Amino acid sequence: MTDTDIKKGLAGVVVDYTAVSKVNPDTNSLLYRGYPVHELAATQPFEAVAYLLWHGELPTDEQLAELRATERRNRALHPDVKAAIDILPTSAHPMDEVRTAVSVIGAQDTAGIANVMDAVGTPEENLERSLRLFAQLPAIVAYGQRRRRGLELVEPRDDLDYAANFLWQTFGEDADPVVIDAFNRSMILYAEHSFNASTFTARVITSTLSDLYSAVVGAIGALKGPLHGGANEAVLHIFEEIGTADNVVPWLDAALAEKRKIMGFGHRVYKRGDSRVPTMKAALDTLVTHFDRPDVAELYDTLESEFVERKGIYPNLDYPSGPAYDLIGFDVLTFTPLFVAARITGWTAHIMEQQASNALIRPLSEYNGPDERHISGYVPDTAVLDVAERPEEAAG
Ligand SMILES: CC(C)(COP(=O)(O)OP(=O)(O)OC[C@H]1O[C@@H](n2cnc3c(N)ncnc32)[C@H](O)[C@@H]1OP(=O)(O)O)[C@@H](O)C(=O)NCCC(=O)NCCS
């Protein structure tokens, strides 16, 4: 085996089929179940996109109404889930909070299932579990931000759709339609992206016949890392470091001299630009106008053009979404949990797809550790020796 046989990071390896989404770096396009994501973001509520990812088709009016009704019924957090969040220190990372809350919901939901083979659930049960997490994550994420600000949980409102209610539960006031629209678009853009690290993690866990909640908890852990979900937080930190547009050039000179990775730029798959960026940038522009913050747009544009000119590496979705979430009023620490609330739809669609056509995911490795060696003075019982080392086998 040579170095080129080893696909470090699984780069370029195609591990399975998926009908959930198609990323095409050559045409810079992203399709959810065949639909371009920018068309979905321009025309659909996030609930309809969730339905599409789970069922393969956009909902009829009736199907959407039914999904919305179920989503509304499932929004409220069980007191024990809230209590589990409350025992965590407010200084805990919000992704740890979200991961814990999902784990508690999973343990409550699968309680009483004695046989581990039954925990995997039927397709119908897994659809219900997916919807439950989809409906409850806004409360978990919103409460996380409020708790860190010393505020109480805001109960959900039955008269609001998903995006408007999410903002209501976070800020405790009615959001402007411009803000709701930008937020809805961001949720759609973050919903799904084929075999990214967290989705693949969810599929690996599912492939062992573990349950949907365990797969989601694992996916949350993968998403926490700054090379994946954590990048939108990091973009804001960079913006804070730079300050204003006229500081971009000296800041970038120093950062590149130190060989720093500039968060929000680059992508494992897209090498000529992330297909989701133009839609999110347009949403950011509406927020810049709404909140009258041209300084944000100026910093954004200057850093982008300087970095692209020097490195030929383009922004990814985290680049426009970070400042957009900041303008909406989300704390930087809440950004990656927002990603969870969106990506729960894609993760669960993949989990169900994996369950429907499962094969245990178990790659091989090439050993490059020390040659075989032995503990000095240890005389093994022949029963524990490798077959080839047993005296009688060797004799035979
Ligand atoms: C996303 C990312 C991990 C993709 O990585 P990848 O496909 O494995 O590409 P690599 O990390 O191997 O980068 C290839 C080259 O481009 C450079 N590069 C890639 N992204 C860069 C960035 N954001 N800033 C500076 N240099 C970057 C690397 O340093 C490397 O240069 P080298 O060949 O001189 O060593 C990478 O671009 C990155 O770390 N981006 C910042 C984090 C981020 O925004 N993540 C969100 C992804 S949606």
Side-chain angles (χ1 to χ4, degrees), residues 93-106 133-134 136-137 140-141 196-203 205 212-226 228-230 233 335-345 347-348 351:
H93 193 282
M95 287 294 274
D96 297 348
E97 203 176 67
V98 176
R99 198 188 59 221
T100 302
V102 170
S103 196
V104 173
I105 293 171
L133 288 179
F134 171 69
Q136 297 201 358
L137 274 161
I140 295 166
V141 175
N196 56 82
S198 57
T199 301
F200 188 59
T201 303
R203 292 191 74 129
I205 294 172
L212 179 141
Y213 294 107
S214 301
V216 170
V217 167
I220 293 170
L223 189 69
K224 183 181 174 188
H228 189 10
E233 281 182 35
F335 293 1
T336 314
L338 290 172
F339 193 161
V340 174
R343 188 57 63 87
I344 190 67
T345 54
W347 285 337
T348 47
I351 290 167

Side-chain angles (χ1 to χ4, degrees), residues 113-151:
I113 301 178
N115 186 341
V116 73
M117 290 300 288
D118 295 335
V120 69
T122 63
E124 294 72 26
E125 281 168 335
N126 283 316
L127 201 51
E128 279 172 26
R129 292 171 180 180
S130 304
L131 236 164
R132 199 167 304 138
L133 288 179
F134 171 69
Q136 297 201 358
L137 274 161
I140 295 166
V141 175
Y143 179 49
Q145 166 151 326
R146 293 184 68 80
R147 194 172 92 87
R148 275 181 292 285
R149 293 181 175 192
L151 300 169

Side-chain angles (χ1 to χ4, degrees), residues 5-247:
D5 293 327
I6 299 206
K7 306 294 179 202
K8 209 164 163 71
L10 296 182
V13 175
V14 178
V15 295
D16 206 344
Y17 292 99
T18 181
V20 183
S21 69
K22 180 177 178 182
V23 178
N24 191 338
D26 298 327
T27 53
N28 193 23
S29 68
L30 170 61
L31 310 178
Y32 293 173
R33 302 278 188 189
Y35 290 103
V37 69
H38 57 88
E39 284 182 30
L40 294 169
T43 60
Q44 302 296 319
F46 185 40
E47 298 94 308
V49 173
Y51 186 100
L52 171 71
L53 291 170
W54 290 328
H55 296 275
E57 295 296 335
L58 282 167
T60 61
D61 290 348
E62 218 171 276
Q63 288 164 334
L64 180 59
E66 198 184 319
L67 179 137
R68 280 182 152 154
T70 315
E71 188 262 319
R72 283 170 202 214
R73 269 200 313 279
N74 280 283
R75 279 176 183 170
L77 286 187
H78 189 285
D80 292 345
V81 176
K82 180 177 178 296
I85 295 174
D86 284 336
I87 59 167
L88 301 175
T90 49
S91 56
H93 193 282
M95 287 294 274
D96 297 348
E97 203 176 67
V98 176
R99 198 188 59 221
T100 302
V102 170
S103 196
V104 173
I105 293 171
Q108 285 178 331
D109 193 50
T110 55
I113 301 178
N115 186 341
V116 73
M117 290 300 288
D118 295 335
V120 69
T122 63
E124 294 72 26
E125 281 168 335
N126 283 316
L127 201 51
E128 279 172 26
R129 292 171 180 180
S130 304
L131 236 164
R132 199 167 304 138
L133 288 179
F134 171 69
Q136 297 201 358
L137 274 161
I140 295 166
V141 175
Y143 179 49
Q145 166 151 326
R146 293 184 68 80
R147 194 172 92 87
R148 275 181 292 285
R149 293 181 175 192
L151 300 169
E152 294 296 317
L153 175 85
V154 172
E155 293 300 336
R157 276 214 352 234
D158 273 357
D159 59 322
L160 298 176
D161 291 340
Y162 175 95
N165 177 67
F166 200 146
L167 296 167
W168 161 256
Q169 285 201 265
T170 308
F171 302 109
E173 55 190 46
D174 284 320
D176 189 277
V178 170
V179 177
I180 295 171
D181 182 59
F183 183 59
N184 180 66
R185 284 172 197 247
S186 79
M187 289 281 114
I188 292 174
L189 294 172
Y190 269 125
E192 162 57 14
H193 213 227
S194 78
F195 277 40
N196 56 82
S198 57
T199 301
F200 188 59
T201 303
R203 292 191 74 129
V204 171
I205 294 172
T206 303
S207 83
T208 70
L209 299 187
S210 188
D211 63 287
L212 179 141
Y213 294 107
S214 301
V216 170
V217 167
I220 293 170
L223 189 69
K224 183 181 174 188
L227 293 189
H228 189 10
N232 57 8
E233 281 182 35
V235 171
L236 245 283
H237 293 311
I238 284 178
F239 272 34
E240 279 160 11
E241 255 185 69
I242 300 175
T244 53
D246 53 15
N247 199 28

Side-chain angles (χ1 to χ4, degrees), residues 193 226-232 235 256 259-269 271 274 276 307 311 313 316-318 339:
H193 213 227
L227 293 189
H228 189 10
N232 57 8
V235 171
L256 292 179
K259 298 207 173 314
R260 274 178 70 174
K261 279 253 170 101
I262 312 303
M263 294 296 158
F265 288 86
H267 199 275
R268 172 56 67 79
V269 180
K271 297 299 178 195
D274 180 329
R276 302 160 295 180
F307 189 69
K311 300 287 286 185
I313 297 173
N316 57 55
L317 176 58
D318 293 321
F339 193 161

